[in-house]
Amino acid sequence: MNPAVNVFFNKAKKWQEELKKMRTIILDTGLTEELKWGKPCYTFQENNVVIIQGFKEYCALMFFKGALLKDTNGILTKPGENTQAGRLIRFTNVREIAEQRSVLKAYLYEAIEVEKAGLKVNLKKNPKPIPEEFQNALDKNPALKAAFNALTQGRQRLYILHFSAPKQSKTRESRIEKNIQHILNGKGLNDHYIQKKKR
């Protein structure tokens, strides 16, 4: 157990017993415990394998490369419809976690094998085409284009999905305008919203 991570478990207002149970099961596999993004994250040779998360309706184990797991028990779900790599196992009580202990360990060991083998999820660069309004902004502003191309594929995808969502061109343009500075600063869409929440 990493003492720096104890703070997370002691402060958890919801799912405290569930989160602690997941922690015990994960630590049994020999993964390294760290605190990343304010949550308990478990790594193998410095590669992220799984993270513990608490939500309003459920708590979960999120496998970073869950898409590569066989999921023989059919318990993995996508966190969002556009998620490519990550997969969740959701829980709503301690009993569920205790009953699935051996299954969870099997999934954890499989995820470790994925890391040992150096496997990677083949990410689609951009599942949606760049909206015309954003393409125009990129063409007019070379600095913006360079900054956008310097972002990780995941960050690029999130921006494209965010800009593509509105039906009206005017709304798309407004969203693009609001985010230009964040892109120029090398920030992803979620980085910006996380910072706003912290203030």
Side-chain angles (χ1 to χ4, degrees):
M1 287 188 185
N2 181 338
V5 184
N6 289 340
V7 179
F8 170 86
F9 292 99
N10 296 335
K11 276 188 175 177
K13 290 181 182 140
K14 201 172 181 187
W15 312 114
Q16 200 169 57
E17 290 307 306
E18 289 82 359
L19 298 171
K20 285 179 179 175
K21 189 74 178 167
M22 285 192 269
R23 181 190 203 187
T24 307
I25 293 168
I26 296 168
L27 287 173
D28 263 359
T29 64
L31 288 170
T32 303
E33 185 175 64
E34 298 179 45
L35 195 66
K36 292 188 178 184
W37 308 283
K39 294 177 177 67
C41 183
Y42 300 85
T43 62
F44 175 78
Q45 295 178 350
E46 298 184 9
N47 292 316
N48 298 329
V49 175
V50 70
I51 193 165
I52 291 176
Q53 299 176 307
F55 298 97
K56 195 176 175 183
E57 307 290 328
Y58 58 89
C59 56
L61 278 184
M62 202 278 286
F63 289 87
F64 287 89
K65 294 181 183 173
L68 297 178
L69 302 182
K70 293 185 187 92
D71 193 19
T72 45
N73 292 70
I75 55 176
L76 295 175
T77 59
K78 281 185 171 189
E81 66 172 291
N82 296 303
T83 304
Q84 294 188 57
R87 295 293 184 271
L88 292 175
I89 302 177
R90 301 173 194 221
F91 301 102
T92 53
N93 61 62
V94 179
R95 190 177 39 79
E96 287 177 330
I97 300 167
E99 285 171 358
Q100 294 204 50
R101 182 185 179 91
S102 58
V103 171
L104 294 176
K105 280 185 117 175
Y107 277 58
L108 288 161
Y109 284 125
E110 187 186 347
I112 292 167
E113 289 306 314
V114 163
E115 289 307 324
K116 282 182 181 173
L119 301 179
K120 297 206 181 312
V121 178
N122 287 326
L123 301 172
K124 293 178 195 162
K125 188 158 184 190
N126 291 310
K128 280 193 176 226
I130 293 177
E132 188 182 338
E133 297 82 357
F134 187 46
Q135 189 60 59
N136 291 340
L138 293 173
D139 293 342
K140 286 179 192 167
N141 187 338
L144 178 65
K145 189 171 189 172
F148 183 73
N149 288 336
L151 293 174
T152 61
Q153 286 185 6
R155 285 179 170 157
Q156 287 180 18
R157 276 181 59 248
L158 276 180
Y159 274 122
I160 289 168
L161 290 166
H162 182 62
F163 297 154
S164 301
K167 289 181 180 171
Q168 293 190 348
S169 178
K170 198 174 176 182
T171 314
R172 289 195 293 272
E173 283 174 358
S174 170
R175 280 193 180 186
I176 292 161
E177 193 59 42
K178 281 180 191 167
N179 285 283
I180 284 175
Q181 194 55 52
H182 304 300
I183 295 170
L184 290 169
N185 293 342
K187 300 285 183 192
L189 186 69
N190 287 343
D191 301 340
H192 163 53
Y193 289 113
I194 289 164
Q195 280 179 348
K196 273 178 92 174
K197 277 185 182 175
K198 282 183 182 172
R199 282 181 201 147

